[in-house]
Amino acid sequence: MTRDWAAGTYHRVSAPHLLWADAILARLPLRGDETILDAGCGSGRVTAKLVDRVPRGHVIAVDGSPAMVAQARENLPGEVLVLEQDLLALEAPEPVDAVFSSAVFHWIGDHPRLFARLAASLKPGGRLVAQCGGKGNIDGFRAQSDAIAAREPYGEHLGGFAAPWNYATPEETEERLRAAGFCEARAWLEPWPVVPPEPADFLRAVCLGPHLDALPEELRDPYVDDVLATLDDPPVLDYVRLNIDAVRY
C-alpha cells in the first residue's frame, strides 16, 4: 500500500531530488510539444521542471500519496493534470510520449507489474527515463538506523519492521523491462553521496518515514535524534542511484 508523506517538509528539503531530476532530464531529448507523465510526482517540485521543458505540450502528474497530490496541485500551474493513483494500478487518461520518474520506483515492491503499467501508458516508441534507489543504496545508513531500531525503547515497536524498499540490480531491472514490453532497455548504478539539507527533517521526511510510522508519537523525535547522532557532522548519506532508460515496442 502507498504510504502518505509529510508533503510540506518533503517539498522544503528535497534539494537533492532536484539534482537527480536534472540528470534524468539530460537523458530525455524533447521538442517541447510532447505529453509527459511524471510517475510519482511528489510535491510537484520536480514536475515544474517538466512543465518548463514542454511549453507546447502538457504534463500529467501522478502520485499515490493524498498529501503529495494536494501539495502538487497547490504548487503547479492549473493546466497540469495531477492524479491520485497507485502506480501499480496506473491508468493514464491518454497515451503519452514519455514517462519520467525520479526517486520513486524503490518504494514499489512489484517492479514487473509497475513496468507493465508504465508500458501500457506509453505510445509505441515512447520513452521511459527514470532514476531510483538501486542495489546498495544507503546501506551504511540503514545499518546504523537498524542498530538503533533494535534498541529499547524502539525495539518493542520496530523489532518486526519490514523494510519497504526495493533496491534492484541493473540486470534484473533490464530483464523486467524487456518482459514488460520495452526494448533498448538499459539500467546502471551510479554512486551519489548526499549531504542532506536540514538533516533531521530530511531523515524524518525521506529516509526514516516508515520507521516513524511504526513508532508512537513520543518516540519519533528521540529516534531521529539517536540515528542522527551516529552520523558524521555534516552527515553524508551513501546513496546509489539506479538509472533506467527504455523504449516501448
Side-chain angles (χ1 to χ4, degrees):
M1 293 182 63
T2 302
R3 61 179 293 268
D4 213 354
W5 287 69
T9 302
Y10 177 90
H11 187 79
R12 192 181 73 247
V13 302
S14 58
H17 299 70
L18 296 179
L19 296 177
W20 296 334
D22 287 339
I24 306 167
L25 283 169
R27 308 200 310 264
L28 179 61
L30 294 169
R31 300 180 307 272
D33 59 354
E34 295 90 348
T35 298
I36 311 296
L37 174 69
D38 187 358
C41 66
S43 65
R45 195 174 180 187
V46 168
T47 316
K49 290 178 174 285
L50 289 172
V51 174
D52 291 340
R53 290 286 303 274
V54 287
R56 301 179 307 283
H58 65 284
V59 175
I60 301 167
V62 177
D63 204 280
S65 161
M68 288 292 205
V69 167
Q71 186 78 40
R73 286 173 176 162
E74 180 179 329
N75 293 333
L76 292 168
E79 64 268 20
V80 177
L81 178 62
V82 183
L83 302 175
E84 183 183 329
Q85 289 190 24
D86 185 331
L87 291 180
L88 292 179
L90 177 65
E91 293 289 345
E94 61 181 288
V96 300
D97 298 293
V99 172
F100 168 97
S101 186
S102 180
V104 175
F105 294 171
H106 57 271
W107 294 106
I108 298 173
D110 190 345
H111 280 184
R113 183 176 173 188
L114 167 67
F115 295 151
R117 294 314 310 149
L118 296 179
S121 300
L122 281 162
K123 298 175 183 177
R127 294 190 59 184
L128 166 64
V129 290
Q131 188 191 86
C132 61
K135 182 70 173 177
N137 192 57
I138 58 170
D139 273 359
F141 172 81
R142 287 190 293 130
Q144 290 168 297
S145 61
D146 286 350
I148 301 297
R151 301 179 191 170
E152 293 305 326
Y154 313 116
E156 174 186 351
H157 307 280
L158 296 176
F161 178 76
W165 306 285
N166 181 7
Y167 296 138
T169 68
E171 295 77 16
E172 61 193 357
T173 298
E174 290 177 357
E175 181 179 349
R176 291 164 178 168
L177 287 165
R178 288 190 290 267
F182 287 96
C183 60
E184 301 178 29
R186 179 172 174 245
W188 69 99
L189 295 176
E190 180 180 7
W192 199 315
V194 167
V195 177
E198 302 182 53
D201 281 347
F202 187 93
L203 296 187
R204 287 187 188 93
V206 182
C207 305
L208 298 178
H211 298 79
L212 301 185
D213 289 345
L215 287 171
E217 182 70 35
E218 66 273 13
L219 291 181
R220 293 176 181 176
D221 285 348
Y223 178 65
V224 172
D225 291 343
D226 285 350
V227 171
L228 194 56
T230 70
L231 306 179
D232 294 333
D233 186 14
V236 180
L237 303 181
D238 51 336
Y239 276 96
V240 177
R241 313 313 293 161
L242 175 66
N243 294 291
I244 298 170
D245 281 357
V247 176
R248 186 198 159 183
Y249 281 111

